[in-house]
Amino acid sequence: MNMNLVLQGPSATPERLHRIAALANPARVVQLGEKAVRCEEVATSDFLKQTIEVAATAAGLDATFIAPGRSLADFKLVAMDMDSTLITIECIDEIADMQGLKGQVAKITEAAMRGDLDFSESLARRVALLRGLDAAALERVYTERLAISMGGEAMLKAVQAAGLKTLLVSGGFTFFTERLKERLGLDYTQANVLETKDGKLTGRVTGIIVDAEEKRRSVERVCMVMGIHPREAIVMGDGANDLKMMWIAGLSVAFRAKPVVRGQADVALNFSGLDGLLTILASDQ
């Protein structure tokens, strides 16, 4: 089956791009800006894909095989995980740092993202460690430590300009998703609610836990509201708890993701920013 191959990366050079492109033996190579090329009509095989992946990774490039003609116009929704996807931090780890417990909490977070620990269990264990922390610590994390991932704002502006709706669905907390919704003009958000009492965190969350199943249901609910099929959604994530919502999407994007996620996603952005999605779906016109 013939496919297109998009090669890109912030450290891309013409020599690197065309050296890897030559391995694919494409019918044509189309330049997509200074840092990317699209190799067209590539006769794919498992061996070729593995060869390209190894060579591209060594060269600091992202390599994406995609069916010819796919573009943003094929989609109506972009759904994103928050922590370590749309933003650069794990909010709960940074909140824990205010208690001097970042290392302890980060180990639990890492195990959950690898898929070694049930997410709901990991969330309960981590949040319990925050008991007694002044709720003002959340504002400090937001203002002092939270940053949008590379290319995130450019990606959002482009998909919004193209008429796509946006969903931020997170196993993190509404304190952050609601602020990002207003800041970035997002359409929908879903996250966990941290319980507070007398200005302190109680060490509990309230309401439905946003785990892998709830993330999938959130995407399905928004698609239903929009009157679209989940295959018209792009879903972006980095951890094991993102896989179920990624499986129902028309295009799944692993961003700086754990190996278990990279291996199952349609697209893996290991070097490029989130706006690498735009290059992959650049119109043939």
Side-chain angles (χ1 to χ4, degrees):
M1 178 182 178
N2 285 352
M3 299 186 75
N4 288 346
L5 167 65
V6 176
L7 300 168
Q8 62 178 319
S11 62
T13 64
E15 187 276 331
R16 289 181 183 178
L17 289 168
H18 289 283
R19 174 167 54 83
I20 307 302
L23 296 176
N25 192 29
R28 288 175 300 281
V29 177
V30 178
Q31 194 74 35
L32 301 172
E34 295 182 0
K35 300 290 186 179
V37 296
R38 182 173 62 227
C39 305
E40 299 184 340
E41 295 187 33
V42 175
T44 60
S45 66
D46 290 341
F47 177 77
L48 176 66
K49 288 181 178 180
Q50 291 171 4
T51 299
I52 295 293
E53 180 179 357
V54 170
T57 299
L61 301 176
D62 291 316
T64 304
F65 286 91
I66 192 163
R70 298 208 83 184
S71 71
L72 276 181
D74 297 329
F75 302 97
K76 301 292 192 296
L77 173 70
V78 175
M80 303 154 286
D81 173 50
M82 180 175 68
D83 298 275
S84 298
T85 301
L86 182 60
I87 64 175
T88 59
I89 63 171
E90 290 285 337
C91 289
I92 194 167
D93 294 358
E94 301 306 319
I95 297 169
D97 197 30
M98 304 294 179
Q99 291 277 63
L101 295 170
K102 183 174 182 178
Q104 188 174 343
V105 169
K107 286 181 180 178
I108 302 173
T109 300
E110 182 70 15
M113 294 304 98
R114 289 196 308 267
D116 296 340
L117 185 63
D118 174 75
F119 180 82
S120 295
E121 177 189 347
S122 77
L123 181 67
R125 286 171 54 183
R126 288 176 290 167
V127 171
L129 293 170
L130 306 180
R131 182 179 179 182
L133 181 65
D134 194 313
L138 304 179
E139 187 65 39
R140 286 187 57 199
V141 170
Y142 180 77
T143 57
E144 298 175 14
R145 303 190 182 187
L146 185 148
I148 306 300
S149 293
M150 180 173 68
E153 293 189 66
M155 181 274 293
L156 286 171
K157 287 179 181 177
V159 301
Q160 289 165 340
L164 282 72
K165 298 295 185 183
T166 51
L167 164 64
L168 184 60
V169 56
S170 174
F173 307 115
T174 55
F175 182 92
F176 302 101
T177 57
E178 290 306 307
R179 282 158 176 76
L180 289 169
K181 181 179 183 180
E182 181 177 355
R183 173 177 168 181
L184 300 171
L186 306 176
D187 296 293
Y188 307 95
T189 61
Q190 177 79 11
N192 295 300
V193 180
L194 274 175
E195 184 180 70
T196 61
K197 184 177 181 180
D198 300 326
K200 305 284 188 181
L201 300 184
T202 66
R204 295 187 296 269
V205 294
T206 62
I208 296 172
I209 299 298
V210 183
D211 58 7
E213 284 289 349
E214 183 59 22
K215 283 189 170 190
R216 176 186 59 78
R217 287 191 292 264
S218 295
V219 173
E220 290 174 336
R221 282 195 298 267
V222 169
C223 288
M224 186 176 297
V225 168
M226 292 177 60
I228 66 172
H229 193 280
R231 303 300 291 177
E232 294 177 273
I234 299 168
V235 174
M236 314 178 85
D238 74 298
N241 66 321
D242 297 318
L243 282 170
K244 289 186 178 181
M245 68 173 179
M246 294 171 77
W247 289 338
I248 66 172
L251 188 72
S252 56
V253 180
F255 182 72
R256 306 290 192 275
K258 303 297 182 289
V260 67
V261 181
R262 288 200 306 269
Q264 298 183 55
D266 300 314
V267 175
L269 297 176
N270 303 317
F271 304 102
S272 306
L274 287 169
D275 54 348
L277 172 69
L278 307 177
T279 304
I280 292 165
L281 295 177
S283 173
D284 289 331
Q285 303 302 316

